[in-house]
Amino acid sequence: MSSRNFMCSVNTIATVTVAQTAYVQSDTPNENYDLDYHLLLEKHYKQKEWSKREVVSIFQGDQQLFHYDLSAKVIHALQKRRDQDQKYQCLILAQTIPDYKALNPTLANTMVKGGVYPEKYFGLTHLGEVAGLTGLDLMQISLDHNRLGIMVMTEYQFIAPLNDTPQFVRYADASVALEVSKGDGAIRIHSVTCLTIPSGDLAQYVTSVCEQIAQENPALDYIIVQNAIPGFSHPLCYTRSEHATVDFRSGDVWVTLAELCKQNPDLIDKQIAMISFDRLHSLSYVILTVQDMPVIQAEQIEGKQVYVNT
């Protein structure tokens, strides 16, 4: 177990979620990038034999969207709340899957599309679901007192997933951006803890972590758990009503927290634990207190129901 005491706060949460109707099946690879390498990696890591995997694209109207387009949307939502001349000190971008259009690094495209050029910028890959919480550790180190940073988590599965893991909720795509300050703010982060998941029943282990957190934090009001295990419950667990059947991976717990804040305006002084975990190795959780209601910006990308992955 590792943990760090924090002096960071989250002031604004911006989310963009993608409806299943926004996906279009791609008959040919994108003209700007040969997807064969992505398919070979899928074949290697999933140890499946196939010659071609189904490729999907996200469209908003007639515009095809990529990782950095989703990221830019949530960055612009944050910037609407701030003076355009105010410079962010740090930008952290977390993504699990390489970009569909990968001739240029996603981090560079995100900065250009988002119109934000901070003093420090980092890209996190391969952390999966836990990036949305463990990334706060990097933000804590990178920010000076009373400076602002942006943490962005964007998930976009352009290779249609295999439906061979019924023990888990299916993945869905979204982008979440947090405006983070070093010092006091709306949502005060007290600590981030990282654990290694042992072999065995994942749901049982997550339940034991919930019980441990509740015992160590008797003032706890809510627990938010990664929406990955069907039917998971705990007496303190808040389960979101919107997007209840999908898992947004690295941004998932923040989507749930945003809903909780919108539905419960009396959250002031409430203490909340948030738990994220991948499906094999890692679990992270944070303890936070709502000191003031954060600003919530939310958008849903709808489509024409051309392609629906069931």
Side-chain angles (χ1 to χ4, degrees), residues 210-218:
C210 289
E211 293 171 352
Q212 175 187 336
I213 294 172
Q215 290 175 0
E216 294 176 353
N217 300 272

Side-chain angles (χ1 to χ4, degrees), residues 19-77:
Q20 285 295 296
T21 55
Y23 293 90
V24 176
Q25 185 173 347
S26 302
D27 296 324
T28 59
N30 182 271
E31 62 182 4
N32 295 304
Y33 190 71
D34 187 349
L35 291 176
D36 286 346
Y37 296 105
H38 288 300
L39 299 175
L40 286 172
L41 285 172
E42 284 280 301
K43 179 179 178 180
H44 174 77
Y45 286 111
K46 302 291 179 59
Q47 298 179 348
K48 301 284 186 179
E49 290 293 336
W50 56 71
S51 59
K52 183 179 179 180
R53 286 289 302 277
E54 190 175 54
V55 177
V56 295
S57 301
I58 296 173
F59 274 82
Q60 188 172 38
D62 296 325
Q63 180 188 7
Q64 185 178 6
L65 302 180
F66 300 97
H67 276 83
Y68 46 83
D69 293 311
L70 300 183
S71 298
K73 283 180 175 290
V74 288
I75 290 173
H76 290 152

Side-chain angles (χ1 to χ4, degrees), residues 189-209:
I189 308 295
H190 297 297
S191 63
V192 175
T193 302
C194 303
L195 303 171
T196 299
I197 296 175
S199 59
D201 188 314
L202 178 60
Q204 183 177 357
Y205 177 68
V206 174
T207 299
S208 69
V209 172

Side-chain angles (χ1 to χ4, degrees), residues 136-183:
L136 291 169
D137 206 352
L138 180 58
M139 186 67 79
Q140 158 87 358
I141 297 169
S142 303
L143 282 181
D144 295 328
H145 189 65
N146 290 330
R147 296 297 303 276
L148 296 176
I150 302 176
M151 192 164 86
V152 181
M153 300 141 276
T154 298
E155 304 289 357
Y156 177 4
Q157 294 188 105
F158 56 86
I159 298 176
L162 292 175
N163 296 309
D164 56 359
T165 53
Q167 70 270 36
F168 296 114
V169 174
R170 67 176 174 83
Y171 289 140
D173 297 324
S175 187
V176 177
L178 312 175
E179 183 190 81
V180 183
S181 61
K182 187 70 170 285

